[in-house]
Amino acid sequence: MTDNTFWYQKQLRILQTVLREPDIVDYDAQSVVAYLESIHSNCIIVNGGGIVDFFRHNLVTANPNPFMQGEDILKDLTDACHAKGIKVVVRVDFRGVDKRIYELRPDWFSINAQGEPLIRDNPLHSAIFQPCYQSKYRNEHAYAFIDYLFQNYDIDGVWENSYNQWGICYCKSCSDRYRSEIGKELPRGGDFFDPHYDEYRVWKAACVEEHLRDCRAVVKKYGEDKAFAAEIFGLYHDQFKGSSHDLYAIREHFDFLVTPLFTADHEPLNGPSTLIKFLKSLSPDKTPVMLFGHLGTNNNLRYISSPKQETRLWMWEAISAGGSFWNVIFNGAHPGSTYDRRNAMLSADIYDYMERHEDVLTIQNTDPEVTVLYSRASNAALGNHDRSKDAYMTHLIGLEQVLTDRRIQYRLLTDDRLNLETLAQTRVLILANAACLSDRETETIRSYVKAGGKLISTDRTSLLREDGSERHDYALGDVFGCSFTGIVKDNSTFGYQKIRERHPLTQGFEDTELLASWGPQRLVRRTADTAESIVTYVPQIFPQPPERSWLRSYDTEYPTLLLNRYGLGESVFFPYGADRNIWLHGHADFAGLLAGSVDYLLGSHYKVSTTAPSSVHFSLNRSGSDGDAYILHAVNTTSLPRRPILETIPVTDVEVSLTLAGSRVQEFRSLHEDAPVQLISSDTRDDGSLLLRIAIPKIYEYTGLYIKVGEA
């Protein structure tokens, strides 16, 4: 593996203690370090200041913790951690101040459209006044604050918490700068999420990036080994509309990428793996880190333990994609000394596993059979945190369920990296309702298919421009082999499809002519002689009265599953949300059709096959930078049919077949097992690849295998 230069480019096993004011009383740095050692953590994030200062300084906004006496916990903790080789990153938070400090510099703070100061209310404690994101407080003062920390403490980095700001600020500084740079007054009125504010959002994003660039420069004055980071919100929790958090721009300013995903949010169990894949595509050379909590499952329950078993599976899922961790707690000097200690040692054995095998776990990349495009523009236009209203992420989630169930190895590709070079090794490209595509993106996809690529697309893919405006027809209509009629039928109830012709795409549906349909159905017409209408639309069949619940004909000319040969490649198109239906509706027909499409385009030849149930998630990754080593991860999510998972049911007598590039096995060893794993056979296939058969007697939570291959 590559020996990365700086500590933050390697595996991270972080603990963050978000200290409350009274946590400083009798703070024992030695006991904190003893706990860090016991869980095999290599980095701690601890409060520095901003809202409340945990050290003394003479800046105008000084607001020392009222419980502080003569102690200096930053010095004590840094000295104790460094003696054990543990890094210390200081959390700074400049999102608000007490009224006393606001009154000293009121021109540094945000105001609303009515000219009133913006206040973050807290019904149990005093409110805090929000500084403008362009003010001296968040910039010049913040930089002086960080300077003071580095000049007085031997810290290893800075974590800027809540650097962004929701909504719009109407202070004089913002008004003057917007007028000067844009030539307009700040927009007012209506809903902030309306297009009326889009120009402001783009301008604000540039201001946010300017701050991050300047803040990073302050940190780097003290050495390239000093880290600067903040949260990356995106994918599951996109915040561009609300805070101009442009993750494609801000990623450049952070030394490692951290994004939150708590078990209480109840995203799909493969969510942590998806998250890490997303970060890897976003910045392939930076360590991807999942922020989770064994306490503080969400912002409403910060004092009690999260479900133990589900949290452990959450961690194994992130490891299976090559992720690092950030475990955050919101109370106590450390988890062993807080109110709820049930999960205090929950991560110890997992962090220990990561530490022991750091050489092979740090650099991992999926060995993909399939590439799934992440369309930021589509998420911005169609995404919604309310999954019932979302029209983008639910498509990805449903698609991933099919890929995970069938052990299809896939990578996420962020749309900024969509080019013919990155697609060159892609056997199948999947566009899960990638509605908002630019002309450049559609031309890249068209060229990929024309040269022999395989494509699966769903719903409104290419029907919108990158700004969200509608096209009159699919930009990829020639690739799909169809044209949109402009008619959308609501099949949310009483919806069906008919298998028009038997084909490998409909394998598994031999005993039925009708299939389920659900949700908006776009009616399309076949326009290419090379296109085949495999499955077609059926008008709604109303169930009452039952005597009249029938149609004179179930045949229409509108395909719902269309196969087209385009150039040297092939396209499979679903003009409705088959993938979204898997997640929100659940009928097996949708998963069966999508799985059949992948089977057909891949030729049913997968790198991983197994006798294990689909509740065991398998990930096959390349390890290191040489390309001749693999890690096979198996995460067992088998449990009672409920969330959160409280108990895992062991799976036994599992056989796995792997197809790897190479002609012989040089090394085969278990990284983590519940019973001795055996390599049963290793055979060279006709195509020169290596076929391995492996016996895994038992998987309780997780099994990890390291395999190094070579030439004969």
Side-chain angles (χ1 to χ4, degrees), residues 380-661:
L382 307 176
N384 194 305
H385 289 190
D386 182 345
R387 292 292 186 242
S388 66
K389 300 175 182 177
D390 172 84
Y392 183 69
M393 280 308 304
T394 42
H395 290 262
L396 277 181
I397 291 171
L399 169 66
E400 286 183 310
Q401 183 172 313
V402 172
L403 301 179
T404 300
D405 285 351
R406 298 183 76 83
R407 285 80 185 209
I408 298 166
Q409 304 304 301
Y410 68 96
R411 64 168 175 168
L412 282 181
L413 181 69
T414 48
D415 51 13
D416 63 318
R417 299 182 62 227
L418 178 66
N419 54 58
L420 291 177
E421 183 180 357
T422 58
L423 294 179
Q425 303 302 317
T426 297
R427 297 175 64 188
V428 176
L429 174 64
I430 304 183
L431 309 178
N433 196 28
C436 303
L437 296 177
S438 68
D439 291 341
R440 181 196 65 79
E441 290 171 329
T442 56
E443 184 54 39
T444 298
I445 295 166
R446 180 178 293 106
S447 298
Y448 160 74
V449 179
K450 192 172 185 178
K454 313 288 187 180
L455 180 68
I456 298 175
S457 311
T458 67
D459 208 11
R460 287 190 278 176
T461 292
S462 80
L463 198 53
L464 306 179
R465 298 180 182 87
E466 60 182 327
D467 62 0
S469 61
E470 292 191 13
R471 291 186 169 105
H472 74 281
D473 207 341
Y474 298 105
L476 291 173
D478 55 337
V479 180
F480 300 158
C482 69
S483 178
F484 181 38
T485 65
I487 298 173
V488 181
K489 290 291 188 178
D490 182 7
N491 267 15
S492 297
T493 52
F494 324 127
Y496 300 90
Q497 307 173 73
K498 183 181 179 183
I499 298 176
R500 184 162 181 164
E501 61 176 89
R502 295 299 169 181
H503 189 277
L505 283 168
T506 61
Q507 185 176 357
F509 296 111
E510 289 76 15
D511 294 331
T512 183
E513 297 176 29
L514 292 181
L515 301 172
S517 182
W518 188 70
Q521 173 68 65
R522 281 163 183 78
L523 301 188
V524 301
R525 283 197 177 91
R526 186 172 65 92
T527 56
D529 293 338
T530 53
E532 300 176 61
S533 299
I534 309 298
V535 183
T536 53
Y537 163 77
V538 174
Q540 289 178 308
I541 305 176
F542 293 90
Q544 296 294 338
E547 293 85 353
R548 293 186 174 174
S549 179
W550 61 281
L551 300 175
R552 292 184 181 278
S553 173
Y554 297 85
D555 294 316
T556 70
E557 63 180 42
Y558 308 113
T560 57
L561 172 55
L562 192 68
L563 172 66
N564 186 38
R565 292 178 297 281
Y566 183 79
L568 300 176
E570 290 181 287
S571 162
V572 174
F573 179 50
F574 298 85
Y576 70 102
D579 37 19
R580 185 175 189 264
N581 292 350
I582 294 168
W583 180 247
L584 290 181
H585 187 276
H587 197 285
D589 285 355
F590 305 119
L593 288 171
L594 266 174
S597 300
V598 181
D599 283 347
Y600 172 75
L601 294 180
L602 281 178
S604 298
H605 298 308
Y606 298 138
K607 296 182 179 181
V608 181
S609 61
T610 180
T611 59
S614 58
S615 52
V616 181
H617 300 168
F618 286 87
S619 298
L620 181 65
N621 298 337
R622 297 273 187 162
S623 172
S625 56
D626 297 333
D628 58 357
Y630 296 84
I631 298 181
L632 178 69
H633 304 271
V635 182
N636 179 26
T637 69
T638 309
S639 61
L640 297 176
R642 57 165 293 175
R643 295 285 298 277
I645 290 176
L646 301 180
E647 179 183 4
T648 303
I649 300 171
V651 174
T652 59
D653 300 322
V654 172
E655 288 194 11
V656 181
S657 295
L658 298 181
T659 302
L660 309 178

Side-chain angles (χ1 to χ4, degrees), residues 197-234:
Y197 288 91
D198 284 350
E199 187 175 37
Y200 169 80
R201 260 184 279 275
V202 174
W203 174 79
K204 182 181 176 183
C207 297
V208 171
E209 188 179 3
E210 178 183 73
H211 163 77
L212 292 174
R213 182 175 59 248
D214 292 344
C215 196
R216 175 183 175 83
V218 174
V219 173
K220 293 301 179 181
K221 285 193 308 184
Y222 300 94
E224 280 298 320
D225 62 325
K226 304 301 183 182
F228 176 62
E231 285 172 304
I232 286 277
F233 288 97

